[in-house]
Amino acid sequence: MKSFKNFIGGNWVPPIGGEYFENVNPADLSDTIGRFPMSGSADVELAVASAQRGFEVWRATPAPARGDVMRRIGDLMVKRKDEIADLMTREMGKPLTETRGDVQEGIDTAYYAATEGRRLFGHTVPSEMKNKWAMSFRRPIGVAGIITPFNFPMAIPTWKMFPALLCGNACIFKPAEDVPETGHVLVEIMLEAGLPPEVIQLVHGLGESAGAAIVNHPGIPVISFTGSTETGRIVGEVCGRMHKRLSLEMGGKNAQIVFNDADLDLALEGVLWGAFGTTGQRCTATSRLVLQDGIHDELLSRLIDRARALKLGDGRKKGTDVGPMINEAAVKKVERYVDIGQGENADLVCGGRRPSGKGMDNGYFFEPTIFARVQAGMRLEQEEIFGPVLSVLRFRTTDEAFAINNDVKYGLSSSVYTKDVNVSMRAMNELDNGITYINAPTIGAEAHLPFGGVKQTGNGHREGGWEVYDFYSETKVGYLDFSGALQRAQIDNYLGTPD
Ligand code: UN1
């Protein structure tokens, strides 16, 4: 079996404890991809010491030169796009079209970061005083701990690490244990592109051990975490106690609202992609479909027909629409919610079980599942499932639909299908989400815009776009007084104060 290593201290090294975990293809459990280091706090200790050395080198490298490295990373990813997509599908299951998109998001992020190396704007503003200048500029912070999930194995690590690196920080990267090979290849590419070796450390392992060691280490002042709201809360508590800067990206319970006047063909394509793409394992997945009275029955019946016809299978095979889930625990969680939904008297109208058929019992497959007659407030309607389960609700008025959208503890994305410009603009204003799509599904974020959500989806930060560069840099202000006199702010103001 192929054995992989960590990248710590500028070298590919085995884990100090000598333990490994196996990485298996979720579409074919007889296909083992390799064994990966089960790292712990001793490995993290070495990684921190090395990253601190790397940081000293990297912070002294001009930002445009750091941007050049990002550009070369992008170029290498372009060259290896299909190869990476294939290995990504093998280790996490989603079809090749989707993994190609995932790599493309990494490429877009790299090129965006490259150009940001020549911007990284501060401000120059007038001073209250004569002959005095006032300005703000950015400084890097130090070592950033990057902890990422399995569902976007390239997009999410890149949209955290490239901005962190561009700003001059060093990174310690722990990819999810379900997608370690994609993490391995990403680090390989970063090194080949010319990133100084100690600027990046790759530490494989589980969240409870390797991840916890990173979060708890005092030498890592910045943490970026994407995962469940439950784990995010623990990460947040530790970072709060330790005064760390923290960006959290967590759960979602995203709704697609369809009005009577909507283009139903478009809405149907949107919900199929939003709910069952990536087998529903996205924080941006559509897990609630909110239909207006007049089109409810027609759209629901067309949706059931189309969902039943989706082809489950190996994402590397032509014709597969929906791949497997990531692991047994994920399937069990979905099964639990199917029971919960039935217990709440929602109507199971499609799927709801592991499929039978050739090869299906050799992978973590689950049928696209639809519950109709779901009521606002049911657990099925409130809680994140992270699987191919869609709840369908009915509404009469715009106010009612918006209230359903907003009455959950999450607030990542929302989607509204209508031709009415007034309703569209009201949705933009009134829906409590970080992202609202009009006539497009709940997924589709682009790399150059801020990504993130409100309420318990996040903690106020955004990834992607220009905002993430604020998270990874410390603002410093400089005042330069060339008057040759003591000028007291707020006191020797040129306007004077009337006596
Ligand atoms: C996620 O849902 O976990 O929103 C991330 C999108 C993607 C990122 C999704 N680019 O379209």
Side-chain angles (χ1 to χ4, degrees):
M1 189 193 306
K2 198 166 169 198
S3 189
F4 289 80
K5 293 179 170 167
N6 287 327
F7 187 79
I8 295 176
N11 295 299
W12 293 100
V13 292
I16 289 172
E19 280 184 72
Y20 291 83
F21 63 91
E22 285 184 9
N23 180 22
V24 168
N25 179 345
D28 175 5
L29 305 184
S30 64
D31 176 25
T32 304
I33 291 151
R35 57 173 208 162
F36 290 81
M38 184 89 94
S39 314
S41 48
D43 304 280
V44 169
E45 199 61 50
L46 292 180
V48 173
S50 171
Q52 284 170 339
R53 290 191 295 272
F55 173 57
E56 293 307 323
V57 174
W58 191 235
R59 72 185 306 179
T61 307
R66 298 197 293 251
D68 263 357
V69 176
M70 300 304 130
R71 184 179 44 74
R72 289 197 294 275
I73 292 173
D75 292 345
L76 289 169
M77 288 172 75
V78 168
K79 275 203 196 116
R80 296 179 68 178
K81 181 171 171 178
D82 284 344
E83 173 215 338
I84 300 169
D86 187 74
L87 72 87
M88 195 193 294
T89 296
R90 183 179 171 208
E91 72 176 348
M92 62 75 69
K94 65 185 175 185
L96 288 174
T97 21
E98 294 189 40
T99 48
R100 282 193 200 108
D102 197 324
V103 181
Q104 186 58 46
E105 197 159 353
I107 295 166
D108 298 342
T109 302
Y111 289 145
Y112 184 88
T115 59
E116 201 60 35
R118 291 185 183 274
R119 294 155 41 99
L120 274 192
F121 292 132
H123 296 281
T124 306
V125 297
S127 164
E128 304 173 2
M129 312 292 182
K130 287 178 186 160
N131 295 323
K132 186 177 174 189
W133 274 23
M135 68 192 87
S136 74
F137 56 99
R138 294 158 188 273
R139 301 177 80 213
I141 306 168
V143 179
I146 307 290
I147 302 174
T148 54
F150 75 87
N151 60 341
F152 282 82
M154 193 54 92
I156 293 179
T158 57
W159 84 35
K160 292 180 190 296
M161 283 200 283
F162 295 169
L165 293 169
L166 193 277
C167 289
N169 306 287
C171 288
I172 299 181
F173 171 34
K174 192 203 88 64
E177 59 271 26
D178 293 300
V179 290
E181 191 178 9
T182 308
H184 173 92
V185 170
L186 174 57
V187 171
E188 241 176 33
I189 287 175
M190 290 159 85
L191 294 168
E192 191 184 336
L195 191 69
E198 295 201 283
V199 176
I200 177 75
Q201 317 280 328
L202 173 66
V203 181
H204 288 293
L206 309 184
E208 311 82 274
S209 41
I214 291 170
V215 171
N216 281 282
H217 199 292
I220 307 178
V222 184
I223 300 286
S224 182
F225 169 83
T226 297
S228 70
T229 295
E230 293 69 37
T231 308
R233 183 176 307 119
I234 299 168
V235 172
E237 283 167 8
V238 176
C239 290
R241 270 203 309 280
M242 298 182 77
H243 306 289
K244 294 190 179 202
R245 183 179 290 219
L246 169 67
S247 176
L248 291 173
E249 194 54 59
M250 302 172 290
K253 192 72 191 175
N254 315 299
Q256 175 177 323
I257 303 169
V258 185
F259 284 86
N260 287 340
D261 71 340
D263 177 334
L264 291 195
D265 297 335
L266 198 63
L268 179 58
E269 296 306 325
V271 68
L272 284 163
W273 173 233
F276 303 123
T278 322
T279 325
Q281 302 168 108
R282 297 170 178 154
C283 29
T284 54
T286 308
S287 54
R288 300 181 295 158
L289 178 64
V290 189
L291 302 178
Q292 199 165 18
D293 260 351
I295 50 93
H296 176 278
D297 295 354
E298 181 190 343
L299 192 54
L300 178 60
S301 94
R302 287 177 64 186
L303 173 63
I304 294 170
D305 288 346
R306 287 288 301 277
R308 286 200 180 125
L310 290 172
K311 196 170 164 358
L312 263 68
D314 182 339
R316 291 200 289 171
K317 295 224 171 92
K318 255 205 161 66
T320 296
D321 296 310
V322 180
M325 298 195 66
I326 192 65
N327 54 35
E328 180 63 22
V331 180
K332 285 226 165 82
K333 181 173 180 192
V334 168
E335 285 176 331
R336 214 162 51 241
Y337 274 98
V338 169
D339 286 347
I340 289 170
Q342 286 179 307
E344 293 178 312
N345 287 328
D347 235 355
L348 179 61
V349 291
C350 179
R353 57 194 170 92
R354 298 179 198 235
S356 51
K358 200 163 165 281
M360 289 288 117
D361 53 0
N362 201 28
Y364 300 120
F365 294 99
F366 200 86
E367 289 181 348
T369 297
I370 301 170
F371 277 99
R373 290 228 298 249
V374 175
Q375 302 299 323
M378 285 180 178
R379 284 187 65 191
L380 190 63
E381 194 264 343
Q382 291 284 314
E383 298 176 14
E384 186 179 48
I385 302 173
F386 221 69
V389 181
L390 179 69
S391 293
V392 182
L393 291 88
R394 182 192 284 264
F395 75 93
R396 296 206 342 262
T397 66
T398 307
D399 285 347
E400 223 180 289
F402 287 6
I404 289 171
N405 178 83
N406 289 349
D407 188 20
V408 288
K409 65 180 180 182
Y410 301 110
L412 184 48
S413 61
S414 52
S415 147
V416 172
Y417 281 77
T418 179
K419 295 196 183 100
D420 186 329
V421 68
N422 294 350
V423 171
S424 306
M425 288 313 296
R426 271 194 63 192
M428 292 282 187
N429 270 339
E430 295 176 34
L431 298 183
D432 296 334
N433 304 93
I435 310 170
T436 291
Y437 294 94
I438 306 295
N439 295 322
T442 57
I443 172 156
E446 300 178 26
H448 59 298
L449 281 99
F451 177 89
V454 303
K455 296 192 273 187
Q456 291 185 28
T457 291
N459 66 338
H461 292 293
R462 291 292 180 272
E463 312 209 73
W466 50 93
E467 287 201 10
V468 68
Y469 292 85
D470 293 336
F471 175 73
Y472 287 112
S473 54
E474 201 76 76
T475 299
K476 178 150 187 188
V477 166
Y479 294 104
L480 182 65
D481 190 323
F482 48 98
S483 68
L486 170 66
Q487 301 198 85
R488 296 171 300 178
Q490 294 89 38
I491 297 169
D492 301 325
N493 191 305
Y494 72 93
L495 287 174
T497 314
D499 290 327

